[in-house]
Amino acid sequence: MARIRAVSHEDRLTVVEHLDELRTRIVVSLVVFGVALALCFWQNNLLLEIASGPLPGNHDKLLTFGVAEPFTITLTVSVYGALVLSLPVVLYQAYAYVLPAFSDSERRLVLPLLLLAPVLFLAGVAFAYFVVMPAAVKFLLNFNDSQFNVQVRARDYYSFFSTTMLAGGIVFQLPLAILAVTRLGIVSVQQLAKNRRYAYLIIAIVAAALPGVDPVSMLIEMVPLLVLFELSILIARALGTPKAPAGLARPSTQEH
């Protein structure tokens, strides 16, 4: 496996060199995921206890059906846990691959923000765990409970929990995504600010599409998205509009 070398903005790599760098970064990401998966499966009891934290005390024992379901659920939760642990590294590898698209002066401004990707991801996971999950579980388990004998199936709950954690981490990458499209000249900061109402509509749709079918969790998930969107506009405006000579329309990572 080739060593990942730093690529500057002035470098003109061939297609083979681009593919070799991409392959190396993919291999690094897979290795990190494999190590995280082994760690999560080794500590699966602790992982399951943490995942069950938002549940009330009368639902501490989840239901399973079938002989193999405890094993398959444990493996699935371990995979999701490994994704959560390894995704900051995967995101860093992705950002590092496109970083040469920025000039040296722009890189000094952008690099600290890109290094915030793992922090933003973990912040999203923490927000989903401590804020979204308790509110969603409380609302859903108590909704019309006098008409139902509410039992929680392990497979359904852990799937809901895992996708909520991943979704929380991913949506908190919004500032970096907006920074990318503005610095690459795809959308201007002025356009984002002028069409703010459409962005709010898209955010509402995204919040509705996130795990959790109840209006409580949807509203809770909308708040940080709106804050992150407005924060992203402020950051993009502070960085300014990219100049034409910077060549951001033609990233060096895509030049042949």
Side-chain angles (χ1 to χ4, degrees):
M1 183 180 67
R3 184 178 65 87
I4 299 177
R5 69 178 184 88
V7 180
S8 68
H9 181 70
E10 292 75 19
D11 287 343
R12 297 296 181 264
L13 304 183
T14 65
V15 175
V16 174
E17 290 173 326
H18 282 307
L19 294 177
D20 185 61
E21 180 190 359
L22 179 61
R23 181 194 64 182
T24 303
R25 295 192 183 278
I26 290 175
V27 170
V28 170
S29 300
L30 290 176
V31 170
V32 171
F33 173 77
V35 174
L37 178 59
L39 177 63
C40 289
F41 193 78
W42 173 47
Q43 295 292 331
N44 64 81
N45 289 332
L46 177 61
L47 188 62
L48 292 173
E49 289 180 6
I50 294 174
S52 301
L55 285 172
N58 58 330
H59 291 285
D60 55 345
K61 289 292 184 181
L62 303 182
L63 299 178
T64 58
F65 300 94
V67 177
E69 190 164 335
F71 174 77
T72 57
I73 291 173
T74 300
L75 181 60
T76 301
V77 173
S78 298
V79 170
Y80 278 116
L83 284 174
V84 170
L85 289 179
S86 62
L87 200 52
V89 176
V90 175
L91 289 173
Y92 172 79
Q93 293 296 328
Y95 292 138
Y97 182 70
V98 301
L99 191 61
F102 297 90
S103 65
D104 291 338
S105 60
E106 291 165 340
R107 186 181 302 189
R108 285 192 292 269
L109 295 173
V110 173
L111 185 57
L113 296 176
L114 297 186
L115 294 178
L116 281 176
V119 177
L120 289 173
F121 181 82
L122 294 177
V125 171
F127 179 83
Y129 183 82
F130 291 106
V131 180
V132 177
M133 279 297 298
V137 167
K138 181 178 179 180
F139 176 85
L140 294 173
L141 291 182
N142 291 284
F143 180 79
N144 211 11
D145 58 343
S146 61
Q147 302 298 319
F148 300 97
N149 179 18
V150 180
Q151 301 291 327
V152 182
R153 185 176 182 180
R155 184 180 66 183
D156 297 335
Y157 171 76
Y158 286 126
S159 176
F160 173 73
F161 172 85
S162 302
T163 52
T164 300
M165 295 299 103
L166 286 176
I170 291 173
V171 297
F172 266 58
Q173 302 295 307
L174 180 63
L176 300 183
I178 291 180
L179 175 64
V181 297
T182 54
R183 297 306 298 172
L184 292 174
I186 300 175
V187 179
S188 67
V189 180
Q190 292 74 19
Q191 288 174 320
L192 288 175
K194 182 179 180 180
N195 297 286
R196 183 179 278 107
R197 60 185 183 277
Y198 299 112
Y200 286 177
L201 176 60
I202 295 174
I203 287 174
I205 295 174
V206 170
L210 291 174
V213 295
D214 60 289
V216 175
S217 59
M218 174 184 171
L219 291 175
I220 292 176
E221 289 162 347
M222 276 187 62
V223 172
L225 288 177
L226 293 174
V227 173
L228 288 173
F229 175 77
E230 294 297 337
L231 180 62
S232 303
I233 292 180
L234 292 177
I235 295 174
R237 184 176 285 119
L239 292 178
T241 304
K243 299 179 181 179
L248 290 176
R250 298 177 59 190
S252 64
T253 53
Q254 300 298 325
E255 295 178 0
H256 297 174

